[in-house]
Amino acid sequence: MTVEAPTLADPHDWLRRRSRWSVFEIAFWVASLLPFFLFQTYLPLASQIAITALFAVSVDLVLGYAGVVTLGHAMFFGLGAYSAGLISKAGWGEPLTGLIIAGLFAGLVGYIASFIIVRVQHLALIMITLGFCLLTYELANSMSWLTGGTDGLQGVETWPILGVFRFDLWGYAAYGYALAALFLGLVLSRRIVHSSFGLSLRGIRENVRRMPAIGSDYRGHLQKIYTISAVMAGCAGALLTQTTDTVSLDTLSFQRSADVVVMLVLGGTGRLYGAVVGTIIFMVARDQLSDMNPQYWYFWIGLLLMVVVLLMPRGILGSLAQLARRRD
Amino acid sequence: MLTRTAAAMALVLGLGWSSSAFAQETVKIGVILPYSGPFADAANQLEAGIKLYMQQNGDEVAGKKIEIIRKDTGGPAPDVAKRLAQELVVRDQVDILAGFALTPEALGAADVSAEAQKLMVVMNAATSVVTEKSPYIVRTSVTIPQVNYAFGKWAFEQGGVKEVYTLVSDYGPGHDAQSSFSKGFTEAGGKIVGADKTPVANPDFSAFVQRVKDANPEAVYVFIPGGAQPAALGKALADRGLTPPNVKLFGQGELTHPEALESMGETAKGIITTYHYTLERDDPLNNEYVKSYREANNGRSPDLFSIGGYDGMHLIYESLKKTNGDTGGDALIEAAKGMSWTSPRGPMSIDPETRDVVQTVYIREVKEVDGKLQNVIIHEIPDVKDPLHGAK
């Protein structure tokens, strides 16, 4: 990660310059509206891509920026998914409030977990996050009176968004809703990573020992970003529940935690759009490949991952950025 | 991307005539199964059943060609199953949804079937509630309560057992199996002397089996997933002298399917299981089915997944014949209700009220036949319905 060093004179100017919207970003968001007009029959897939992208961005905040290697973020995704489902099952199917409550609940759990997370590093950190995720999974499995166990939660019914937009068969409402949430999540994440707080997170990632020496409270910072990330992952889970009216143990699975890391590596960590691009590539490839051969499509995903990691160690977006810089 | 754009535009532009010209010729069936991931083998066995039926009966019904579109969910993923069902309906414009090996996936897709008014044929998912989620769902497999409730009754009335200890895996199907067996058994007059649960992926049963031994029951009812576990359990039971004839051992069919019998060896002798399909059942139709299945699949034998897919296709074919090729959900489900036929598994029908399967439940005992362990049918209970639907 080469970041041009801020000159001492105008650190705020530097930050402001970094946070300006680029042409590519604007083009990306305009393009994100294309499915409404060109690929209507792909809207259900597009909405699940947007949801997964939000989840990937939440992981990028902790993994890509703060260097907290996590293999258990599906825990927050699943907690969000189950809380949204349970609220709806209890008779309150309003999506927006459900989304907020689910996000806050995941955030609360994230805050509590963060006290342990900041005390461990490296391999131990991976084990702890993985352990948390597995524990939550087993908890949800054994509390089948609440969660429905392996059959999944039944009776989830989401009301129309704002009382107007019904979740339709084509997926217009689902994609619009998920895209809006992804946009908000990215705006918020941009704000975070292009702030002095965001810079101190990178400092933690690069050299955690040095941060206390320059007077930075790294544990506090880590707890903050971990909680924010948990809220975001919880919201992504809640979105999945609300757009599909289903919740199952699969939302908490290790597979989901691992897949999202694969998407991040594909797209490039430590750059928010890397998470989004990685998600799009992974899910579109998965959809197309599994149509061609439903049994053995994972082979091609594995091949894709190896090619990307070998030829583009910084992920697809990271390498593109590097190419662009070289040409300048 | 360019071809996709072009295809999408062509689709939009051509929707008007292509749908009328195209749909008259073909009936599209979208098959949603976990082709990859931990349940891939089940999906492949189920699909082999579908293929065999189409191979035997041709791919043309009521003047229309049958086209299968396969979609992979990658494991128990109801959100993916729902999305695939949506896509099949809006993009591929399928007429019938089929497959569904896993309950959560069937439940996820059920909404789509209800909203789009498409016939949905559940070929495996075995939880009772599935057929109640959409008025267009029909099931051709089995439900866990269906076989186990009848089995519980039989164990007391004909099996002559008064007390049973239950030992099941701690997950949905295990809970269902335990509660329905216990219900049938206690309603008939029996007594459950102990109930225990083992973890779903459990390599060592010795502690659980010791508890069974301490309770000293007349019989043990077990429900565990297939794979390596039946052999491990069989060994643990044999080590403590809890095998037949000392203690009777009851279970559901997976416990003694051919591969499991091989790994359990001698300890399997005398185990009594219940199922809706018995590979070794001596019946001309079944023998023919098993023979052609093995020929088409490199000697692999059919199992419960295969028969679910096979009979599911039969139901689709016969319903289409009845409606003269009309693929509307309402017409097809009306045609499917009350349909009865003779399958390789035996006589079966579709309950006109619940759209669930009604069939013979077999009680089998593991015996040595010509030097090989086999499930030998010792009793048949005809026309068993799922007991939970009626309870509502």
Side-chain angles (χ1 to χ4, degrees):
Chain A
M1 297 298 131
T2 46
V3 177
E4 60 178 282
T7 54
L8 277 176
D10 53 350
H12 289 286
D13 261 8
W14 184 82
L15 274 178
R16 221 168 290 139
R17 234 182 310 128
R18 303 276 307 172
S19 65
R20 220 169 278 153
W21 287 82
S22 76
V23 185
F24 292 115
E25 278 183 279
I26 295 165
F28 172 80
W29 287 108
V30 172
S32 73
L33 297 176
L34 283 182
F36 281 121
F37 309 105
L38 290 183
F39 316 110
Q40 284 105 333
T41 56
Y42 285 86
L43 284 175
L45 176 66
S47 80
Q48 294 198 351
I49 291 180
I51 292 166
T52 313
L54 181 65
F55 181 41
V57 168
S58 82
V59 177
D60 198 24
L61 283 180
V62 287
L63 194 151
Y65 284 92
V68 178
V69 184
T70 168
L71 264 185
H73 234 56
M75 164 180 157
F76 302 115
F77 186 89
L79 283 175
Y82 272 105
S83 3
L86 288 170
I87 295 165
S88 161
K89 197 186 173 188
W92 182 253
E94 209 287 309
L96 294 179
T97 42
L99 181 68
I100 293 167
I101 298 172
L104 290 180
F105 178 70
L108 179 72
V109 177
Y111 179 67
I112 296 168
S114 71
F115 284 93
I116 300 172
I117 297 294
V118 297
R119 277 170 174 75
V120 289
Q121 273 150 18
H122 308 304
L123 217 55
L125 184 63
I126 297 179
M127 289 300 116
I128 294 274
T129 52
L130 184 61
F132 269 139
C133 188
L134 295 177
L135 283 177
T136 329
Y137 181 94
E138 277 310 322
L139 202 65
N141 185 19
S142 60
M143 284 164 65
S144 53
W145 53 271
L146 182 70
T147 61
T150 40
D151 285 352
L153 190 63
Q154 297 311 315
V156 179
E157 208 172 303
T158 312
W159 300 344
I161 306 163
L162 304 173
V164 184
F165 302 105
R166 213 180 120 268
F167 287 104
D168 54 316
L169 196 61
W170 285 74
Y172 284 100
Y175 182 55
Y177 185 44
L179 190 64
L182 174 64
F183 182 70
L184 283 179
L186 256 172
V187 168
L188 183 79
S189 309
R190 283 180 100 257
R191 185 80 193 81
I192 292 171
V193 303
H194 296 312
S195 67
S196 47
F197 171 57
L199 278 186
S200 58
L201 288 180
R202 289 189 217 184
I204 294 168
R205 179 188 68 199
E206 297 302 326
N207 193 339
V208 70
R209 300 248 169 86
R210 203 161 160 205
M211 291 309 279
I214 57 172
S216 171
D217 167 26
Y218 80 93
R219 279 191 178 169
H221 286 326
L222 279 183
Q223 277 190 296
K224 229 183 277 172
I225 195 65
Y226 197 73
T227 309
I228 292 170
S229 164
V231 172
M232 218 186 260
C235 285
L239 283 172
L240 187 67
T241 299
Q242 294 177 341
T243 54
T244 60
D245 281 350
T246 62
V247 196
S248 74
L249 285 180
D250 163 67
T251 55
L252 285 163
S253 66
F254 168 70
Q255 184 72 37
R256 195 174 288 270
S257 304
D259 276 351
V260 77
V261 174
V262 170
M263 294 175 208
L264 263 186
V265 171
L266 270 180
T269 56
R271 42 184 75 244
L272 296 173
Y273 287 90
V276 182
V277 170
T279 310
I280 294 174
I281 292 173
F282 184 90
M283 293 195 55
V284 170
R286 181 192 158 138
D287 186 60
Q288 294 298 310
L289 293 172
S290 68
D291 269 3
M292 276 182 254
N293 188 326
Q295 275 107 344
Y296 306 114
W297 57 271
Y298 235 108
F299 173 82
W300 300 106
I301 294 276
L303 204 64
L304 176 70
L305 188 67
M306 280 170 64
V307 168
V308 168
V309 170
L310 284 177
L311 301 181
M312 299 187 263
R314 291 178 179 190
I316 291 166
L317 217 58
S319 300
L320 285 180
Q322 204 176 12
L323 269 181
R325 257 204 304 281
R326 204 173 289 165
R327 208 181 302 151
D328 282 344
Chain B
M1 213 56 182
L2 201 69
T3 51
R4 180 92 65 71
T5 317
M9 283 167 79
L11 188 88
V12 174
L13 294 173
L15 212 62
W17 69 86
S18 71
S19 60
S20 56
F22 216 50
Q24 261 166 17
E25 312 276 300
T26 58
V27 177
K28 288 187 184 176
I29 305 175
V31 177
I32 300 178
L33 285 172
Y35 286 108
S36 69
F39 296 96
D41 190 54
N44 288 332
Q45 284 283 80
L46 202 157
E47 186 174 280
I50 295 178
K51 277 191 180 146
L52 180 64
Y53 190 85
M54 292 184 69
Q55 186 196 321
Q56 289 176 343
N57 295 276
D59 59 356
E60 218 180 273
V61 186
K64 293 189 175 183
K65 200 173 149 39
I66 301 283
E67 187 190 337
I68 301 275
I69 302 173
R70 305 186 297 164
K71 294 279 180 183
D72 170 38
T73 61
D79 50 323
V80 177
K82 178 165 185 178
R83 187 192 85 210
L84 294 174
Q86 271 176 297
E87 290 177 352
L88 282 168
V89 169
V90 301
R91 190 193 312 159
D92 301 308
Q93 300 180 357
V94 299
D95 305 294
I96 296 166
L97 295 167
F100 307 103
L102 307 166
T103 296
E105 296 184 348
L107 293 173
D111 291 347
V112 178
S113 133
E115 189 172 347
Q117 305 185 344
K118 300 285 181 197
L119 178 72
M120 171 166 156
V121 183
V122 174
M123 294 172 168
N124 185 53
T127 309
S128 293
V129 73
V130 168
T131 54
E132 290 165 22
K133 289 287 163 178
S134 156
Y136 298 98
I137 293 183
V138 55
R139 171 159 41 202
T140 60
S141 51
V142 62
T143 75
I144 291 173
Q146 183 178 44
V147 287
N148 285 295
Y149 178 80
F151 189 35
K153 271 202 149 60
W154 176 89
F156 183 84
E157 285 162 4
Q158 270 106 3
V161 174
K162 307 282 175 261
E163 289 176 345
V164 168
Y165 187 102
T166 64
L167 182 68
V168 301
S169 277
D170 197 359
Y171 72 134
H175 301 165
D176 281 2
Q178 186 208 24
S179 65
S180 48
F181 177 85
S182 304
K183 192 162 172 253
F185 188 64
T186 50
E187 273 178 18
K191 193 173 163 230
I192 302 292
V193 292
D196 210 350
K197 298 193 176 85
T198 64
V200 180
N202 185 30
D204 180 16
F205 288 91
S206 49
F208 297 99
V209 170
Q210 186 59 46
R211 254 181 263 168
V212 175
K213 191 174 166 68
D214 294 345
N216 194 24
E218 200 182 340
V220 188
Y221 172 83
V222 293
F223 183 94
I224 49 174
Q229 293 199 41
L233 178 67
K235 187 176 176 300
L237 288 166
D239 284 349
R240 286 166 184 73
L242 290 173
T243 38
N246 301 334
V247 175
K248 284 194 172 171
L249 198 50
F250 296 138
Q252 194 181 292
E254 293 94 335
L255 188 68
T256 58
H257 74 96
E259 283 93 353
L261 279 183
E262 243 166 60
S263 59
M264 284 167 89
E266 283 295 299
T267 56
K269 238 191 243 174
I271 297 180
I272 297 174
T273 55
T274 180
Y275 231 9
H276 60 296
Y277 177 68
T278 303
L279 180 68
E280 298 92 343
R281 193 172 76 96
D282 194 16
D283 168 90
L285 202 58
N286 186 42
N287 292 342
E288 170 62 29
Y289 165 75
V290 173
K291 189 167 154 271
S292 20
Y293 191 96
R294 283 181 177 151
E295 272 166 18
N297 294 284
N298 295 324
R300 176 105 190 248
S301 301
D303 58 13
L304 81 154
F305 302 109
S306 324
I307 193 72
Y310 189 84
D311 283 327
M313 283 315 283
H314 180 83
L315 179 89
I316 291 174
Y317 273 47
E318 291 306 311
S319 301
L320 281 169
K321 278 182 200 161
K322 243 174 150 177
T323 64
N324 255 328
D326 180 355
T327 55
D330 289 300
L332 281 176
I333 196 73
E334 279 314 313
K337 281 180 187 170
M339 186 177 284
S340 68
W341 69 96
T342 309
S343 143
R345 74 175 86 172
M348 65 185 287
S349 65
I350 301 298
D351 188 334
E353 277 151 39
T354 61
R355 291 165 274 104
D356 217 331
V357 56
V358 179
Q359 60 193 332
T360 304
V361 168
Y362 300 95
I363 313 286
R364 310 100 46 98
E365 185 175 346
V366 178
K367 288 181 183 165
E368 201 171 304
V369 181
D370 305 331
K372 254 187 91 179
L373 291 176
Q374 275 192 7
N375 291 301
V376 179
I377 294 172
I378 54 173
H379 190 73
E380 297 181 14
I381 311 169
D383 298 329
V384 179
K385 289 186 182 186
D386 180 282
L388 296 189
H389 287 307
K392 268 197 140 181

